[in-house]
Every structure is written in structure tokens, then in C-alpha cells.
């Protein structure tokens, strides 16, 4: 039954349901909010990765605590 996964008509049905639920006027606002949230998440994840790399690669005095 689910051999093909998502087919194009599945995506069309989902798009129609979203438009009906939120209305065409609120969709641009929702898209902007989602984009802003994704940018914040990406920058925070990059900052965490950079912090981890800096902590692990920092030269120590060779002692184990």
C-alpha cells in the first residue's frame, strides 16, 4: 500500500488542506516566521558546533582532571 511513499497528488492534497486551514492571507506570514525560525536554529546549531570544536581542540597542559 505504501510502496511509493509520497506521490505528487499526496503533496497537492496536503497543500490544499493547509490553504484551507490557514487561509491565503496568513500563509506568507507563516512562511516568514518559519524561515526566520530556521535561520535562528541553523545559526545556533553552528555556534554550538563551533563551541564544541573550540573546547575539544584547545591545547591543554597535558594533565587529566
Amino acid at each position: 500500500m505504501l510502496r511509493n511513499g509520497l506521490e505528487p497528488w499526496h503533496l497537492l492534497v496536503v497543500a490544499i488542506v493547509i490553504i484551507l486551514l490557514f487561509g491565503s492571507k496568513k500563509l506568507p506570514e507563516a512562511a516568514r516566521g518559519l524561515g526566520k525560525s530556521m535561520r535562528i536554529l541553523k545559526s545556533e546549531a553552528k555556534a554550538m558546533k563551533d563551541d564544541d570544536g573550540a573546547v575539544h581542540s584547545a591545547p591543554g597542559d597535558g594533565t587529566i582532571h
Side-chain angles (χ1 to χ4, degrees), residues 25-57:
K25 294 187 186 229
K26 292 197 177 194
L27 283 177
E29 292 175 24
R32 272 192 292 278
L34 182 63
K36 185 182 284 188
S37 298
M38 292 301 293
R39 282 191 298 274
I40 291 170
L41 179 65
K42 185 177 178 182
S43 67
E44 291 295 325
K46 184 177 183 215
M48 285 178 58
K49 184 178 178 185
D50 291 344
D51 287 346
D52 283 348
V55 169
H56 293 301
S57 65

Side-chain angles (χ1 to χ4, degrees), residues 12-33:
L12 180 64
V13 170
V14 169
I16 290 172
V17 168
I18 289 173
I19 290 171
L20 289 175
L21 284 175
F22 294 108
S24 61
K25 294 187 186 229
K26 292 197 177 194
L27 283 177
E29 292 175 24
R32 272 192 292 278

